[in-house]
């Protein structure tokens, strides 16, 4: 009899401790691993110390992040925003959310990479690789679900050629050979979908990932092509998005005929982007350009539908 009663008790205990299995889980729902990471991050947030300078400035987590895209004009945008007295920018790309060894160092390490800023200033950092890194949106969300995100995009074909140009010159400076652009863009006569520069221009695939965690009104898309031709109008839109007072003026920009693009005028100081920016792209056969335009046509349409606006892309 005692054995029978013990069996019944054990049966009900086992029923109680066995967890029920969810029937389904959407992509936006956190997994057990990401939930553990979120709890860890929340505990780390509580332990973050804002470093204070005697002049009253502090280092703290960013209020806005330029998340990309690579070769979209992120450095130019950051330099233009630095003209605003209510903006403090991180000088270098931090790569906190996309590099595992950096991310494991925790939020205090991240804060220590931020600029010192006054209480009235917004802190902004930029790391172009964030946009195309699949794990980053959730990590940023776990840090601050209300953060403002800036995304600057160019015509996908132009971005691909700019991407190639940068890598080509990086190799050239190290006296290393790099294949001609045609060899990388084409494979068996068709667009080489394995070429990373091509994949980085499929904006809709990455945008879908970000929209799982952030509403569209938290992501301001800067037209990178217009930032080149009319930077003042694009920067004014960013000011409004960040809820900043209008401080940047048309007089802060002047066209440098030698360089072939706009430079900045900050008081009595003129400054242009580094010579590595704005390099001429390699000559590309019109046949190959047409193939690139055709390849990006449908992905571009998907992106336009996703964000509810169009861009003047081929």
């Amino acid at each position: 009899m005692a054995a029978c009663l013990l069996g019944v008790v054990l049966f009900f205990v086992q029923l109680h401790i066995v967890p029920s299995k969810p029937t389904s889980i959407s992509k936006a729902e956190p997994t057990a691993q990401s939930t553990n990471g979120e709890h860890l991050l929340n505990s780390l947030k509580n332990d973050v110390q804002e470093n204070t300078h005697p002049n009253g400035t502090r280092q703290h987590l960013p209020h806005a992040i330029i998340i990309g895209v690579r070769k979209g004009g992120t450095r130019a945008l950051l330099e233009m925003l630095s003209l605003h007295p209510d903006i403090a920018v991180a000088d270098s790309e931090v790569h906190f959310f996309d590099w595992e060894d950096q991310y494991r160092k925790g939020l205090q390490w991240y804060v220590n990479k931020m600029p010192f800023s006054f209480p009235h200033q917004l802190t902004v950092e930029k790391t172009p690789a964030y946009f195309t890194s699949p794990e980053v949106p959730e990590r940023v969300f776990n840090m601050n679900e209300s953060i403002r995100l800036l995304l600057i995009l160019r015509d996908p074909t132009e971005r691909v050629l700019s991407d190639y140009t940068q890598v080509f010159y990086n190799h050239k400076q190290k006296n290393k050979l790099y294949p001609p652009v045609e060899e990388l863009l084409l494979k068996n006569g068709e667009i080489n979908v394995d070429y990373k520069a091509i994949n980085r221009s499929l904006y809709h695939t990455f945008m879908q990932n970000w929209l799982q965690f952030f509403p569209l009104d938290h992501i301001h898309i800067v037209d990178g092509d217009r930032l080149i031709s009319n930077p003042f109008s694009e920067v004014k839109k960013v000011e409004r998005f960040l809820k900043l007072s209008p401080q940047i003026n048309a007089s802060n920009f002047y066209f440098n005929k030698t360089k072939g693009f706009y430079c900045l005028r900050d008081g009595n100081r003129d400054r242009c982007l580094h010579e590595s920016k704005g390099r001429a792209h390699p000559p590309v056969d019109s046949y190959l350009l047409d193939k690139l335009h055709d390849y990006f046509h449908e992905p571009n349409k998907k992106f336009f539908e996703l964000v509810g606006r169009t861009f003047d892309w081929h």
Side-chain angles (χ1 to χ4, degrees):
M1 182 68 177
C4 181
L5 287 173
L6 180 60
V8 171
V9 170
L10 288 174
F11 174 75
F12 281 103
V13 168
Q14 288 175 347
L15 280 180
H16 177 72
I17 64 174
V18 174
S20 60
K21 185 177 181 181
T23 55
S24 63
I25 183 169
S26 65
K27 289 183 179 180
E29 291 182 14
T31 62
Q33 182 178 359
S34 66
T35 301
N36 291 336
E38 181 180 353
H39 291 328
L40 177 61
L41 198 66
N42 285 335
S43 65
L44 290 173
K45 277 194 287 188
N46 296 331
D47 295 334
V48 167
Q49 300 294 318
E50 294 186 348
N51 303 321
T52 305
H53 192 275
N55 65 3
T57 58
R58 293 174 179 266
Q59 285 176 303
H60 46 70
L61 293 171
H63 304 90
I65 301 177
I66 301 175
I67 59 174
V69 65
R70 170 184 163 111
K71 304 312 298 175
T74 57
R75 171 52 61 179
L77 178 60
L78 192 73
E79 292 292 330
M80 292 172 189
L81 288 179
S82 71
L83 293 169
H84 200 291
D86 294 343
I87 289 283
V89 303
D91 291 330
S92 59
E93 296 175 7
V94 183
H95 287 282
F96 175 65
F97 296 102
D98 63 318
W99 288 1
E100 291 299 325
D101 58 336
Q102 310 279 55
Y103 190 66
R104 284 195 293 267
K105 294 177 181 178
L107 286 175
Q108 187 63 58
W109 180 89
Y110 188 42
V111 167
N112 294 344
K113 295 297 180 181
M114 293 299 108
F116 282 90
S117 61
F118 288 100
H120 68 277
Q121 291 182 307
L122 298 182
T123 296
V124 180
E125 80 114 324
K126 74 103 176 173
T127 301
Y130 286 165
F131 181 59
T132 56
S133 301
E135 69 281 357
V136 170
E138 184 174 8
R139 290 177 173 181
V140 174
F141 178 85
N142 289 339
M143 179 193 71
N144 181 3
E145 63 187 59
S146 300
I147 197 166
R148 295 284 170 166
L149 304 171
L150 295 168
L151 172 63
I152 178 167
L153 300 176
R154 296 188 65 193
D155 181 314
T157 297
E158 291 297 313
R159 201 219 62 80
V160 167
L161 297 178
S162 184
D163 199 319
Y164 170 85
T165 302
Q166 174 174 290
V167 179
F168 172 82
Y169 277 100
N170 287 346
H171 279 68
K172 186 176 181 180
Q173 289 170 357
K174 298 174 184 177
N175 295 317
K176 294 182 178 180
L177 294 176
Y178 197 64
V181 63
E182 292 82 4
E183 287 187 21
L184 293 175
L185 290 176
L186 290 178
K187 185 176 182 180
N188 298 324
E190 298 299 328
I191 295 298
N192 181 11
V193 296
D194 296 323
Y195 181 33
K196 289 183 179 180
I198 294 288
N199 288 314
R200 291 189 191 107
S201 283
L202 298 175
Y203 302 145
H204 72 287
T205 61
F206 307 111
M207 194 65 177
Q208 286 172 336
N209 195 20
W210 283 91
L211 291 177
Q212 289 185 22
F213 296 94
F214 293 95
L216 192 56
D217 60 6
H218 277 51
I219 307 173
H220 177 71
I221 303 173
V222 179
D223 188 328
D225 297 303
R226 289 186 181 177
L227 192 75
I228 295 172
S229 61
N230 189 2
F232 176 59
S233 65
E234 283 300 308
V235 171
K236 297 303 289 181
K237 296 173 187 176
V238 177
E239 277 186 324
R240 290 193 291 270
F241 173 73
L242 295 177
K243 295 180 171 56
L244 295 169
S245 60
Q247 297 286 335
I248 302 175
N249 302 304
S251 59
N252 290 123
F253 304 91
Y254 71 96
F255 189 78
N256 186 308
K257 293 181 180 179
T258 302
K259 291 183 174 292
F261 53 79
Y262 281 89
C263 294
L264 307 180
R265 179 167 288 138
D266 188 3
N268 296 323
R269 175 172 167 246
D270 293 352
R271 52 192 168 105
C272 292
L273 294 177
H274 189 267
E275 62 181 11
S276 64
K277 307 297 181 181
R279 285 172 172 151
H281 295 166
V284 179
D285 187 85
S286 59
Y287 165 77
L288 181 51
L289 285 176
D290 288 341
K291 288 190 77 69
L292 284 169
H293 295 156
D294 290 343
Y295 176 78
F296 286 120
H297 179 71
E298 284 302 318
N300 288 349
K301 282 179 59 178
K302 291 179 181 178
F303 179 76
F304 298 161
E305 293 170 359
L306 199 60
V307 301
R309 60 182 282 199
T310 60
F311 295 82
D312 189 19
W313 299 339
H314 290 93

